[in-house]
Amino acid sequence: MSSIPKPECTAKLPSPALTVVASNTDESELNDDSTKHDGRKRSFPHERGIWASYVFVDCSDIDGLRSIQQECKSFLDAGTTIDFRLVDHLHLSLTKTFTIHHHNIASLVDNLQELLTVQKTFRLEYEGLEVYVNEERTRTFLGVRVAPASCDTLETLVTSLDECMEQYKLPKFYTQRSFHVSILWCLDDREEEIRAHLPALTDVFEQVYEEEYGEMNKPVRKLCFKCGNKTFYFQLA
């Protein structure tokens, strides 16, 4: 008697709207030694199985922002004694950084995919510089502000993301929002000192922005979710 052939197992393919990239960072290598992180301290202690995460717009490929970053650092290095550092990964945050248990990640990614992949492609325009201090007031940042013309889309995105965060009892975004891309940072609360240089720094920004306007205002075609050592990319409609 001939045997009944077994059905072939077909692997479930990922949605073309979702891409996942893993870094080489091993969770076991993470630690809270601030001397290994340029003096930075975690907002929350590292704990195995709980992943630091956030949703953002990736701005790392915008050469104009890199030019503004370098020009502002050169200006501040020459005019102050503050030890400024370059922000390595230029991005615009759409959520606060939060922690999530490993067993909730897949569900959250599904929810984010459903939410974000129906959003339309949009453009970001920029307008000047601002000084920001983190909630713990342990670090100060110089950031490039998003222009008001681009904020309505971001407000809509953040409102939707806040609703998603609430489902997992995660923190919502800031109520007083100032959308920006941080380009420089330093330790401690140095807001007053840096703010004194804002007029001159704004001149630096405007000169570069005028030259790089076309390149800097490229459409945003994807949003990103960083979770531990993995980054999920959601293609916009």
Side-chain angles (χ1 to χ4, degrees), residues 81-140:
T81 58
I82 302 173
D83 184 15
F84 286 96
R85 313 290 178 89
L86 301 177
V87 174
D88 294 328
H89 178 225
L90 298 181
H91 67 278
L92 189 155
S93 295
L94 297 175
T95 67
K96 288 185 176 181
T97 300
F98 57 88
T99 57
I100 185 168
H101 288 273
H102 186 269
H103 63 268
N104 284 329
I105 294 174
S107 173
L108 178 57
V109 169
D110 287 344
N111 287 354
L112 289 175
Q113 183 177 4
E114 182 179 353
L115 169 68
L116 298 178
T117 55
V118 298
Q119 303 292 332
K120 293 183 178 180
T121 297
F122 61 94
R123 289 184 182 273
L124 284 180
E125 296 190 14
Y126 302 93
E127 182 185 72
L129 302 172
E130 186 55 89
V131 182
Y132 302 91
V133 184
N134 65 352
E135 290 183 287
E136 298 81 15
R137 305 200 77 81
T138 57
R139 286 198 289 162
T140 306

Side-chain angles (χ1 to χ4, degrees), residues 9-158:
C9 294
T10 303
K12 184 179 179 182
L13 296 176
S15 165
L18 172 64
T19 305
V20 185
V21 177
S23 72
N24 294 324
T25 303
D26 190 315
E27 185 189 9
S28 63
E29 296 175 356
L30 300 174
N31 60 70
D32 296 322
D33 186 352
S34 62
T35 63
K36 297 182 179 180
H37 303 284
D38 295 323
R40 292 172 291 181
K41 297 180 180 179
R42 288 179 178 273
S43 299
F44 35 78
H46 173 67
E47 184 178 342
R48 184 174 294 276
I50 297 180
W51 299 83
S53 310
Y54 62 102
V55 179
F56 63 97
V57 178
D58 185 5
C59 301
S60 58
D61 64 343
I62 301 178
D63 293 337
L65 284 175
R66 291 291 181 190
S67 297
I68 292 170
Q69 181 185 51
Q70 293 289 348
E71 292 292 334
C72 287
K73 186 176 189 305
S74 296
F75 176 88
L76 289 167
D77 285 348
T80 74
T81 58
I82 302 173
D83 184 15
F84 286 96
R85 313 290 178 89
L86 301 177
V87 174
D88 294 328
H89 178 225
L90 298 181
H91 67 278
L92 189 155
S93 295
L94 297 175
T95 67
K96 288 185 176 181
T97 300
F98 57 88
T99 57
I100 185 168
H101 288 273
H102 186 269
H103 63 268
N104 284 329
I105 294 174
S107 173
L108 178 57
V109 169
D110 287 344
N111 287 354
L112 289 175
Q113 183 177 4
E114 182 179 353
L115 169 68
L116 298 178
T117 55
V118 298
Q119 303 292 332
K120 293 183 178 180
T121 297
F122 61 94
R123 289 184 182 273
L124 284 180
E125 296 190 14
Y126 302 93
E127 182 185 72
L129 302 172
E130 186 55 89
V131 182
Y132 302 91
V133 184
N134 65 352
E135 290 183 287
E136 298 81 15
R137 305 200 77 81
T138 57
R139 286 198 289 162
T140 306
F141 299 84
L142 181 67
V144 177
R145 296 197 322 270
V146 173
S150 299
C151 287
D152 285 348
T153 299
L154 297 177
E155 289 281 2
T156 300
L157 276 171
V158 167

Side-chain angles (χ1 to χ4, degrees), residues 68 128-129 199 201-212:
I68 292 170
L129 302 172
L201 287 167
T202 298
D203 290 341
V204 172
F205 164 83
E206 290 178 349
Q207 180 178 350
V208 177
Y209 193 48
E210 182 177 356
E211 296 172 354
E212 302 281 354

Side-chain angles (χ1 to χ4, degrees), residues 174-232:
Y174 307 97
T175 53
Q176 294 183 336
R177 299 166 184 168
S178 176
F179 295 109
H180 65 279
V181 179
S182 293
I183 56 174
L184 300 174
W185 68 274
C186 65
L187 292 174
D188 303 321
D189 182 352
R190 312 297 291 269
E191 179 179 6
E192 185 175 346
E193 297 166 74
I194 301 172
R195 193 170 291 281
H197 295 278
L198 266 185
L201 287 167
T202 298
D203 290 341
V204 172
F205 164 83
E206 290 178 349
Q207 180 178 350
V208 177
Y209 193 48
E210 182 177 356
E211 296 172 354
E212 302 281 354
Y213 179 84
E215 191 276 333
M216 287 182 63
N217 292 280
K218 296 186 295 187
V220 176
R221 302 187 185 279
K222 64 183 178 183
L223 298 177
C224 313
F225 172 46
K226 175 75 172 174
C227 184
N229 67 341
K230 292 183 179 179
T231 303
F232 300 82

